[in-house]
Amino acid sequence: MDLALLPLAVPMCVADCSSFVIPNIYNKILFLFAAVHLSIYGFGDLRRVAFSAFILVALLIFKVGMGDIKLLAIILITHSFSAVDYLGYVFLLAMVHIVVIAGISREIPSKIPLAPSIFVGLTTYLATR
């Protein structure tokens, strides 16, 4: 599954940075890879999947973009790691992203592209695990 994420990371990040929207075509391609992955390996622990779904619903309530939630859902379902730890990395990197943008433009941004934080957080989490 990680080999499918790597080639799609760059176009997803570029699209998200330019328009704050992750096109559905990328999520559909990742969903096809995730479906193959899940048909081979299964879901794993259903409590972990249910907890991940609960976290994603909470992110939906906090107005996180739907493309970001779809991307996080695919990653959380296909990987067997702690959702809280991984999302901690993602939000830590998102805060760093906000600080860098605020340092460059001298104003706090009202919204940021989350796809770069998601992918850098995934690579950081997988590298340190």
Side-chain angles (χ1 to χ4, degrees), residues 72-83:
L72 285 170
I74 290 172
I75 291 172
L76 288 174
I77 288 174
T78 57
H79 291 80
S80 62
F81 49 66
S82 172

Side-chain angles (χ1 to χ4, degrees), residues 9 18 21 27 39 41 56 60 64 83-85 93 103 106 119:
S18 65
V21 174
N27 284 326
S39 66
Y41 298 107
L56 292 173
L60 183 65
V64 174
V84 175
D85 292 343
L93 289 165
R106 303 285 185 204
F119 285 115

Side-chain angles (χ1 to χ4, degrees), residues 6 29 31 88 94 99 108:
L6 291 176
I29 293 170
F31 177 74
V99 168
I108 297 174

